[in-house]
């Protein structure tokens, strides 16, 4: 699943991702991803699948905070920097900030990652360790290395309750208190997500980025609701790159039989670099009888010419490029198209494809058999 860079990152170029179409499914911090890809020449589709919001009712968060203060926890598990910051801001607003800091000063504080550590220290507290894999499960593993029976453990949840991990603590005899400074909800702009699903299924997207597991699950849920889950997952298994910021985010993809690329360092910058390198390596160069060409995403480069192909044209041309000079029948090409084509439809699509290319003789006709890319031998 994990794929780390094997060579030094290529120097930044404004055409590094020219021709590639990337979907961004995150809401929070999406501007950073979009700007990074667009600066490198990519076409970006933004379709957030979930939205991060504050607790629906701050009164509930205040109640949870008061319960933590009253219980004087032995251990605090801090999972996200945003959650820690918002928790303390809400506590301060309710006049509980000093009391919360006081009871946590004597607690054993464990953090899920360096960002959560930074937020804990910004609140004037010290942590006592960080999880090995920056996951909630790893954080609970660390707690359970010592007996916890009879101890009070406070857990700052990160938008999505993980009942299995909380049950592990309870089963070991701990009293577990939770606080939910924010939550994830399905994004209200479902139409945009449905268009992303349709584009992904038809070959109109080269890569989809994910920065949280709930974003993956929400995408699958919406696809299931419109009857396209199987089609979407098939596209993500073959042809469309899934890029996940870390193994927790990747888990629902892997469960669906999809193999995402995941950076060695679970950070946004590492995700950007990895996807840029991966897409650059996916560009195909072919020497044809009409000249050398490069297929990058939905764009064909021949010399100084740049041609953007339609979804049907791209599907047929990609199939011909992969065949590397072998003849493809009309049935083969129909199977490669995003929609069903009869023999006449294939002929028309090939004719339009030829007209769009800088050199029409790149695609040769094999009488009574089909078509081939005129690869120079």
């Amino acid at each position: 699943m994990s794929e780390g860079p094997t060579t030094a990152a290529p120097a930044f170029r404004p055409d590094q991702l020219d021709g590639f179409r990337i979907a961004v499914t995150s809401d929070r911090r999406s501007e950073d991803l979009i700007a990074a890809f667009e600066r490198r020449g990519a076409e970006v589709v933004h379709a957030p699948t979930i939205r991060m919001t504050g607790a629906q009712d701050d009164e509930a968060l205040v109640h949870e905070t008061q319960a933590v203060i009253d219980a004087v926890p032995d251990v605090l598990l801090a999972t996200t920097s945003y959650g820690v910051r918002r928790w303390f801001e809400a506590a301060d607003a309710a006049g509980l900030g000093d009391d919360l800091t006081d009871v946590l000063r004597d607690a054993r504080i464990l953090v899920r990652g360096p960002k959560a550590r930074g937020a804990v220290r910004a609140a004037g507290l010290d942590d006592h360790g960080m999880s090995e894999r920056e996951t909630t499960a790893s954080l609970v593993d660390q707690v359970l290395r010592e007996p916890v029976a009879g101890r009070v453990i406070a857990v700052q949840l990160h938008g999505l309750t993980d009942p299995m991990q909380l049950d592990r603590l309870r089963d070991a005899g701990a009293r577990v208190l939770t606080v939910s400074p924010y939550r994830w909800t399905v994004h209200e702009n479902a139409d945009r997500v449905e268009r992303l699903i349709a584009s992904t299924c038809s070959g109109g997207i080269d890569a989809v980025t994910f920065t949280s597991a709930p974003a993956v699950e929400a995408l699958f849920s919406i696809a299931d609701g419109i009857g396209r889950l199987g089609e979407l997952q098939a596209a993500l298994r073959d042809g469309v790159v899934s890029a996940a910021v870390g193994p927790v985010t990747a888990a629902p993809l892997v469960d669906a039989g999809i193999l995402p690329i995941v950076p060695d360092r679970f950070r946004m910058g590492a995700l950007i670099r990895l996807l840029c390198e991966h897409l650059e390596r996916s560009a195909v160069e072919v020497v044809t009888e009409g000249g050398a060409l490069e297929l990058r995403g939905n764009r064909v480069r021949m010399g100084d010419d740049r041609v953007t192909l339609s979804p049907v044209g791209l599907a047929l041309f990609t199939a011909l490029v992969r065949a590397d000079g072998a003849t493809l029948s009309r049935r083969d090409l129909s199977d490669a198209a995003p929609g069903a084509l009869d023999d006449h439809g294939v002929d028309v699509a090939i004719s339009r494809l030829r007209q769009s290319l800088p050199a029409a003789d790149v695609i040769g006709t094999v009488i009574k058999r089909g078509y081939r890319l005129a690869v120079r031998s």
Side-chain angles (χ1 to χ4, degrees):
M1 176 182 66
S2 179
E3 178 177 327
T6 56
T7 59
F12 168 83
R13 299 193 321 275
D15 66 343
Q16 185 179 6
L17 297 178
D18 178 51
F20 292 108
R21 300 140 302 165
I22 301 173
V24 172
T25 62
S26 59
D27 181 37
R28 183 169 171 265
R29 291 194 65 193
S30 58
E31 296 85 355
D32 297 339
L33 277 174
I34 293 169
F37 295 137
E38 288 184 339
R39 282 198 302 269
R40 292 163 172 81
E43 177 185 344
V44 179
V45 175
H46 185 210
T49 59
I50 57 171
R51 181 182 293 282
M52 180 185 290
T53 65
Q56 187 173 12
D57 183 358
D58 264 358
E59 186 177 341
L61 178 57
V62 171
H63 178 75
E64 292 169 345
T65 302
Q66 187 64 62
V68 169
I69 293 170
D70 292 343
V72 189
D74 301 291
V75 179
L76 168 66
L77 305 186
T79 60
T80 64
S81 61
Y82 177 78
V84 171
R85 291 197 310 271
R86 190 178 188 286
W87 184 20
F88 277 86
E89 288 168 1
D92 285 337
L96 299 175
D98 290 342
D99 291 341
L100 179 62
T101 302
D102 287 343
V103 300
L104 293 180
R105 188 165 283 121
D106 294 327
R108 181 180 178 225
I109 300 177
L110 300 175
V111 299
R112 195 173 69 162
K115 291 183 179 180
R117 168 175 282 168
V120 165
R121 294 182 177 178
L125 299 168
D126 290 323
D127 69 272
H128 299 76
M130 184 167 61
S131 67
E132 295 176 354
R133 297 186 299 277
E134 297 186 33
T135 66
T136 303
S138 177
L139 193 58
V140 172
D141 289 342
Q142 189 169 351
V143 176
L144 294 179
R145 288 173 187 161
E146 299 179 4
V148 297
R151 309 198 78 189
V152 178
I153 300 178
V155 183
Q156 174 255 311
L157 301 178
H158 55 92
L160 184 69
T161 302
D162 189 344
M164 182 181 298
Q165 303 311 321
L166 299 180
D167 287 345
R168 291 176 63 200
L169 295 172
R170 294 188 183 103
D171 292 344
R175 177 188 173 196
V176 179
L177 300 174
T178 62
V179 290
S180 303
Y182 64 92
R183 63 190 179 95
W184 283 314
T185 59
V186 174
H187 203 280
E188 63 273 12
N189 197 342
D191 289 346
R192 193 187 302 180
V193 180
E194 291 179 12
R195 290 195 294 272
L196 166 62
I197 292 167
S199 186
T200 303
C201 293
S202 66
I205 294 292
D206 296 296
V208 184
T209 63
F210 300 99
T211 57
S212 71
V216 180
E217 292 160 353
L219 179 66
F220 287 172
S221 177
I222 294 171
D224 191 33
I226 60 175
R228 305 196 72 169
L229 178 59
E231 192 179 355
L232 172 68
Q233 291 180 342
L236 294 173
R237 290 187 197 105
D238 182 22
V240 180
V241 178
S242 297
V245 75
V248 173
T249 298
L253 293 165
V254 175
D255 290 344
I258 298 163
L259 190 64
I261 60 171
V262 181
D264 290 333
R265 295 182 66 252
F266 313 144
R267 299 289 180 271
M268 198 80 76
L271 176 68
I272 292 167
R273 287 192 297 274
L274 177 60
L275 184 55
C276 288
E277 294 169 4
H278 186 91
L279 290 178
E280 277 204 297
R281 289 196 299 270
S282 74
V284 180
E285 296 182 2
V286 182
V287 179
T288 73
E289 294 175 4
L293 64 82
E294 181 184 36
L295 178 62
R296 297 172 55 85
N298 69 344
R299 192 158 299 165
V300 175
R301 293 180 177 181
M302 292 189 71
D304 295 330
D305 293 318
R306 304 286 188 275
V307 176
T308 300
L309 301 181
S310 68
V312 174
L314 174 62
L316 300 187
F317 193 68
T318 300
L320 290 167
V321 168
R322 288 177 176 173
D324 194 27
T327 299
L328 295 182
S329 68
R330 289 176 176 82
R331 173 61 65 84
D332 293 331
L333 292 168
S334 176
D335 290 343
L341 295 175
D342 58 19
D343 287 355
H344 176 68
V346 171
D347 292 338
V348 171
I350 289 292
S351 176
R352 290 174 178 168
L353 176 58
R354 280 173 168 157
Q355 293 172 20
S356 69
L357 294 172
D361 58 356
V362 164
I363 300 176
T365 301
V366 181
I367 302 301
K368 295 184 179 181
R369 292 181 57 198
Y371 300 93
R372 63 179 290 272
L373 193 68
V375 176
R376 182 178 294 174
S377 57

